Amino acid sequence: MRFNIALAVVAVVLVAAAIWWLRGSRGEIEVTVARAAVSGAGGGGTAAITANGYVVARTKASVSSKIPGRLEYLGVDEGSQVAKGEVIARLENQDYRAAVAEARARLSSARAALREANAQRDQLRRDSARVDPLSGQDFVSRQEAEDVYTALAAAEARVGVQEAQIDVAAAGLGVAEANLENTLIRAPFDGTVLRKDAEVGEVVAPSVGGGLTRGAVVTMADLESLEVEVDVNEAYIGQIRDGQPAGIILDAYPDTSYRGSVRQIVPTADRQRATVMVKVAIQDPDSRILPEMGARVDFLTDSDSDEGDTESRIFVPAAAVSDQAGQAIVWVVRGGQAVRTPVDAGPVSGGRREVRSGLSGGEQVVTSGAEGLSDGIRVRVSS
């Protein structure tokens, strides 16, 4: 009995210690927080509209051959700089070279035949002059004179035929040379090779035909024409204008900001995502900027513009806002406790969400770890 009583006392102590430990340490839920940012007149000029997107090249092309054939030569690699018109690849073209040689031979033969026809015509012209009745000389009969005139007319016709044959042969040579030129794959503009899409020995064609046929030989772009394409929520597109200044921050270099300006607002919206694409030109060229890099664009407002923000606006990370029973709420950390705060939240833009009411700015809002939170529960902010 004494042993059982002692065992029960020990169990009670252990349970009490466990409860105390759970309430003292495990009871504090670990969360990640972020500051509610203030923008506009009272917030130090922080960009009010932010959007995420990718770096793209305005001038980009998948270069393919004009005719099908087997790739015999490829003279570029990823990163190669090429000039407009430079030969970057070649198809097997022995048959096309032979066709050019044959066409040139036909042209030479036609020209030789024309020279012969001209010589015969000139001789018949001289003969016709000797038998001309008006010359006063009567060395041949009338029948012989008519034969000379007929032969001269035939010679004139043969000269015309041979001239036409030269035109035909020249046209054939042009076609053969064009076909030979089509076996050479040239760069359409000055740029950089981004990717090789085929290798020597593979069959390429203007369009993909299945099997082992490749549609493109290389993909290239003009890296001087890089820009950022972002999707702006259509609720904010009215605040974007052509030429508007912007700040660009690449995911790869978060500590570096690049100057940009709005180049184009695409005149159509994405129905599924309720966004409008905006193209932002990069004004600070940098060799580190590469196509397809992720980027964030902060659209700036002119401080002296009448259309600028006249009052402060609050923005929080989109992940900080959740929906409970049809009410948008955020969890604010005050005094080590989570406080449930209803808010009036606007649409998402660039991973941020405007809070029209409910916050004053500067609060610590929970961005992750909100699962299981209740009003007043103790939380521990992760470092």
Side-chain angles (χ1 to χ4, degrees), residues 42-64:
T46 304
I49 302 175
T50 300
N52 295 325
Y54 296 92
V55 177
V56 299
R58 192 186 318 170
T59 305
K60 182 179 178 180
S62 294
V63 184
S64 63

Side-chain angles (χ1 to χ4, degrees), residues 176-345:
E177 290 176 339
N179 289 334
L180 179 61
E181 174 62 26
N182 288 339
T183 64
L184 304 178
I185 302 172
R186 300 181 182 272
F189 50 80
D190 297 342
T192 303
V193 175
L194 304 181
R195 183 178 66 252
K196 291 196 302 182
D197 299 303
E199 295 292 344
V200 172
E202 291 185 312
V203 176
V204 297
S207 60
V208 177
L212 300 177
T213 303
R214 294 299 185 100
V217 177
V218 299
T219 299
M220 58 176 294
D222 181 6
L223 299 186
E224 299 296 327
S225 66
L226 292 181
E227 61 185 12
V228 181
E229 290 183 352
V230 295
D231 292 323
V232 177
N233 193 292
E234 61 183 19
Y236 299 121
I237 197 62
Q239 304 177 41
I240 307 297
R241 67 182 187 280
D242 288 339
Q244 181 175 351
I248 301 171
I249 298 179
L250 302 177
D251 295 347
Y253 314 112
D255 298 330
T256 304
S257 179
Y258 299 91
R259 293 179 301 122
S261 62
V262 176
R263 185 183 70 84
Q264 181 187 18
I265 301 174
V266 177
T268 185
D270 188 316
R271 180 185 302 179
Q272 301 296 327
R273 296 185 295 175
T275 58
V276 177
M277 179 179 290
V278 177
K279 299 182 179 182
V280 180
I282 301 175
Q283 297 179 347
D284 297 325
D286 191 331
S287 59
R288 299 182 300 170
I289 303 177
L290 301 175
E292 306 306 325
M293 279 186 169
R296 188 185 84 235
V297 175
D298 299 326
F299 296 94
L300 308 177
T301 57
D302 297 330
S303 58
D304 56 350
S305 173
D306 294 337
E307 300 176 359
D309 291 339
T310 59
E311 55 185 45
S312 300
R313 302 167 66 185
I314 311 300
F315 286 87
V316 298
V321 183
S322 58
D323 185 84
Q324 290 187 0
Q327 172 67 57
I329 65 110
V330 297
W331 292 98
V332 178
V333 177
R334 292 195 183 101
Q337 294 181 331
V339 180
R340 182 180 182 275
T341 306
V343 295
D344 179 14

Side-chain angles (χ1 to χ4, degrees), residues 6 22 24 47 67 71 96 106 118 123 128 153 174 194 210 227 265 271 278 284 287 304 309 338 351 371 381:
L22 287 173
I67 58 176
L71 196 62
Y96 292 102
R106 289 178 179 175
N118 284 331
Q123 179 61 44
S128 65
L194 304 181
E227 61 185 12
I265 301 174
R271 180 185 302 179
V278 177
D284 297 325
S287 59
D304 56 350
D309 291 339
E371 300 82 3
V381 176

